[in-house]
């Protein structure tokens, strides 16, 4: 699979990946990591966790991927075609304020995304999806209907869904992602978190 550090792209095979993960019992996949800030902050604050940020856009990852934190890795891949090297390794997934093809896959219940997630997850894995009103509106959905659609899609493939939790502007301002800050001060700060386990 393709990994990135700064402007340098490197291939990593399963053996190398397993060696990096050897001393960690919590592996978090930050899917659609964007500029990688959430993954970086999580790795910095929780050194016993290993964080893998996944995104298709190299350009956005240049800054945060320069870090030399031992528990952080950035991978260039599509959410709909996750690398086979991750098979069965992930214990936690975060999807923060998706838009574009990732959000559309969540709304459609895209089997490539759902099956891909199932393939990388270990038993008892946990998922957190944070959705925002502006992105749902851009995709043609009312906020409540879009949230319910995503929730139902996960439920239909066997995820156990908890009660959604609204994220107010105070929560967004303190959430460690670049996009959350923009939402907090934007025209449509509506956001919600869906938690689930498998």
């Amino acid at each position: 699979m393709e990994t990135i550090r700064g402007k340098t792209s490197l291939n990593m095979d399963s053996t190398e990946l397993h060696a990096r993960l050897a001393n960690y019992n919590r592996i978090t996949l930050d899917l659609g990591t964007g500029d990688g800030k959430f993954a970086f902050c999580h790795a910095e604050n929780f050194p016993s966790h290993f964080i893998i940020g996944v995104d298709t856009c190299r350009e956005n990852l240049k800054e945060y991927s320069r870090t030399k934190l031992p528990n952080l890795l950035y991978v260039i891949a599509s959410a709909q075609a996750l690398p086979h090297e991750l098979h069965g390794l992930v214990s936690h997934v975060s999807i923060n304020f998706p838009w574009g093809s990732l959000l559309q896959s969540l709304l459609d219940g895209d089997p490539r995304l759902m099956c891909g997630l199932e393939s990388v997850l270990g038993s008892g894995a946990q998922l957190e999806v944070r959705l925002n009103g502006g992105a749902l509106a851009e995709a043609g959905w009312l906020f409540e209907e879009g949230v319910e659609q995503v929730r139902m899609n996960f439920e239909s493939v066997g995820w156990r869904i908890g009660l959604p939790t609204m994220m107010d502007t105070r929560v967004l301002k303190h959430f460690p992602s670049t996009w959350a800050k923009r939402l907090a001060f934007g025209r449509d700060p509506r956001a919600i978190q869906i938690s689930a386990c498998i």
Side-chain angles (χ1 to χ4, degrees):
M1 69 181 178
E2 183 184 359
T3 69
I4 190 163
R5 175 172 286 179
K7 295 181 180 179
T8 305
S9 175
L10 301 165
N11 283 320
M12 179 177 287
D13 62 21
S14 294
T15 303
E16 292 173 282
L17 179 61
H18 280 265
R20 286 282 303 270
L21 302 179
N23 298 316
Y24 301 93
N25 56 17
R26 174 170 169 154
I27 314 298
T28 294
L29 181 70
D30 185 36
L31 193 55
T33 196
D35 65 3
K37 181 178 179 180
F38 175 84
F40 171 81
C41 291
H42 194 99
E44 192 173 49
N45 291 326
F46 298 95
S48 63
H49 300 176
F50 195 98
I51 318 302
I52 302 170
V54 175
D55 208 283
T56 56
C57 185
R58 292 172 180 76
E59 293 301 312
N60 292 344
L61 286 166
K62 281 183 181 175
E63 180 184 348
Y64 285 104
S65 69
R66 287 192 181 99
T67 181
K68 295 184 179 178
L69 290 173
N71 61 329
L72 179 62
L73 181 68
Y74 290 103
V75 173
I76 303 301
S78 163
Q80 298 82 7
L82 292 171
H84 66 86
E85 289 87 351
L86 299 176
H87 182 80
L89 297 177
V90 176
S91 59
H92 293 74
V93 177
S94 64
I95 303 176
N96 297 312
F97 315 111
W99 63 286
S101 64
L102 177 52
L103 177 58
Q104 197 60 55
S105 287
L106 289 168
L107 289 164
D108 292 343
D110 185 342
R112 296 172 302 160
L113 173 63
M114 297 301 185
C115 292
L117 283 173
E118 188 176 334
S119 75
V120 302
L121 296 171
S123 61
Q126 297 180 348
L127 168 79
E128 290 181 346
V129 180
R130 297 171 182 95
L131 301 168
N132 66 286
L136 286 168
E138 196 173 295
W141 288 79
L142 296 174
F143 182 63
E144 293 80 5
E145 292 176 1
V147 170
E148 179 62 11
Q149 182 67 31
V150 171
R151 191 195 67 76
M152 286 193 309
N153 287 338
F154 277 110
E155 203 167 59
S156 71
V157 293
W159 288 81
R160 297 189 301 280
I161 312 294
L163 289 173
T165 306
M166 291 300 296
M167 301 175 70
D168 61 21
T169 54
R170 181 186 56 81
V171 172
L172 289 170
K173 286 175 185 175
H174 291 93
F175 190 81
S177 91
T178 303
W179 196 246
K181 301 291 187 299
R182 292 179 186 171
L183 292 175
F185 294 101
R187 289 181 299 179
D188 187 355
R190 293 174 301 163
I192 198 165
Q193 177 177 307
I194 300 171
S195 299
C197 59
I198 195 167

